Amino acid sequence: MKKIVLTGDRPTGPLHLGHFVGSIQNRLKLQNEFDQFVMLADVQALTDNFENPEKVADNVLQVALDYLACGIDPSKSTIFIQSQVPEIAELTVFFLNLVSVARLQRNPTVKDEMQQKGYGAQVTAGFLAYPVSQAADITFLKADFVPVGFDQKPMIEQTVEIVRRFNRLYGEILVEPEGIFPKSEAEGRLPGTDGSAKMSKSLGNAIYLRDPTDELQKKVMSIFTDPNHLRVEDPGKVEGNAVFTYLDAFDHDKAKVQELKDHYRRGGLGDVKLKRYLLEILEGVIGPIRSQRERFAADPAEVMKIVQRGTERARARAAVTMNEVRTAMKINYF
Ligand code: TRP
């Protein structure tokens, strides 16, 4: 039996190049080797978007389109919608007994998010407890591996704690998952077009996989480079220059990138010329994704059918796990 992989995204916006480098590329490889599930985490997205349910609902389709356009293959990967597997919510309720409020308040990722959003003491119980819900996502599937960014490490640790507690109390039912993390901090994190550390929708510095050519061009031409590189003849800085970070991430011609870096450092290579080259490279990445996306977008009903079939497959797994869980917890009355 193939090992089980679970990954997923909160559907709060279309996917960008940061997602592509950080997770999509990895999923394209993993789906050939493992029984991979890719979850549209709409329930988790609602924990901080409960006042905008239409935003989450709209983006379920948008992210599904991004998955398919990138080559997440429904014959190899099971794409499903979190909210349509109600067993996850049931399992979450049982797990909530196994976690203290103090433990949840210590989660560094949740703490950061709470600070960013200015929640303070008004944080909802749902938001504070989303790592518990995430533990249910992972365990209903008995996932062996969970490929995620470093910010998700606390969620994996929380899940492992819950699994151990559950198994000690009720019997060995659940599987301890293992996180798969990027090889380095730099890998799996792309800077924004403004040069800030991370490409992100909320910072408005993202290049989306669905951006049309003219939008892509506008964004590439506005990328933050070296602010002291004023004249073409001036020597320029390569470190911290987002154009070069993107070339490192997307240009397979490493010798060419090295040549450009040397030239830029020496002076004589202008930003516009450099950006035109990057535009070509990025169009080479996004172009095929964009056209595949348009093909799928022409038939949204078919896309939703793919996701529905995936969800049914995920629910079948949930039924098996929940039977074992209910029996172990002595709540299998009928
Ligand atoms: N928390 C993840 C994120 O913000 C999304 C997610 C929810 C997830 N449930 C998951 C990821 C289960 C992996 C496994 O990106």
Side-chain angles (χ1 to χ4, degrees), residues 6-10 19 27 37 39-42 44-45 82 109 113 130 133-135 137-138 145-149 151-152 155-156:
L6 172 67
T7 75
D9 298 283
R10 299 181 190 184
H19 294 113
R27 293 174 192 178
F37 288 75
M39 184 176 73
L40 293 154
D42 61 339
Q44 190 172 112
Q82 186 183 24
T109 300
E113 286 171 308
Y130 89 69
S133 163
Q134 191 159 335
D137 302 336
I138 295 169
F145 301 115
V146 186
V148 277
D151 65 315
Q152 296 294 303
M155 312 309 165
I156 307 293

Side-chain angles (χ1 to χ4, degrees), residues 7 13 19 25 32 37 73 94 107 126 137 139 155 190 207 215 220 228 231 234 243 253 257 266 272 284 302 309:
T7 75
H19 294 113
Q25 275 182 322
N32 294 320
F37 288 75
D73 177 349
F94 301 146
N107 184 309
D137 302 336
T139 49
M155 312 309 165
L190 210 60
I207 294 175
E215 185 75 19
V220 169
N228 297 317
R231 288 167 309 176
D234 290 341
V243 172
D253 189 349
V257 175
R266 250 189 348 258
V272 172
E302 178 55 29
R309 279 196 289 271

Side-chain angles (χ1 to χ4, degrees), residues 15-16 34 46-47 55 68 89 101 125 132 155 164 214 245 258 298:
L15 300 186
H16 53 61
F34 296 102
L46 283 167
T47 61
K55 171 178 153 189
L68 295 169
V101 174
V132 181
M155 312 309 165
R164 289 190 181 154
D214 55 340
T245 317
Q258 191 54 50

Side-chain angles (χ1 to χ4, degrees), residues 175-301:
V175 173
E176 265 184 45
E178 216 177 290
I180 304 180
F181 300 100
K183 284 186 208 74
S184 63
E185 278 285 350
E187 184 178 321
R189 184 197 294 163
L190 210 60
T193 52
D194 58 356
S196 67
K198 200 173 167 193
M199 184 174 283
S200 111
K201 179 177 49 227
S202 50
L203 295 174
N205 62 14
I207 294 175
Y208 293 99
L209 299 177
R210 69 173 191 192
D211 278 345
T213 312
D214 55 340
E215 185 75 19
L216 176 64
Q217 181 175 356
K218 222 167 51 201
K219 287 180 179 176
V220 169
M221 289 304 163
S222 77
I223 293 173
F224 178 84
T225 58
D226 171 2
N228 297 317
H229 185 240
L230 297 175
R231 288 167 309 176
V232 174
E233 327 70 272
D234 290 341
K237 258 180 77 177
V238 165
E239 287 71 31
N241 186 326
V243 172
F244 286 105
T245 317
Y246 292 169
L247 285 176
D248 281 334
F250 295 106
D251 191 354
H252 299 301
D253 189 349
K254 298 299 163 205
K256 170 81 183 177
V257 175
Q258 191 54 50
E259 192 188 301
L260 289 169
K261 285 180 179 172
D262 292 341
H263 193 178
Y264 198 80
R265 283 199 184 99
R266 250 189 348 258
L269 174 57
D271 277 5
V272 172
K273 188 163 177 208
L274 179 65
K275 285 175 173 177
R276 285 219 180 98
Y277 177 73
L278 174 64
L279 178 61
E280 239 174 79
I281 296 296
L282 291 184
E283 180 60 27
V285 174
I286 291 184
I289 296 175
R290 191 193 298 121
S291 51
Q292 277 294 86
R293 200 180 196 283
E294 280 163 11
R295 204 170 65 78
F296 285 110
D299 193 353

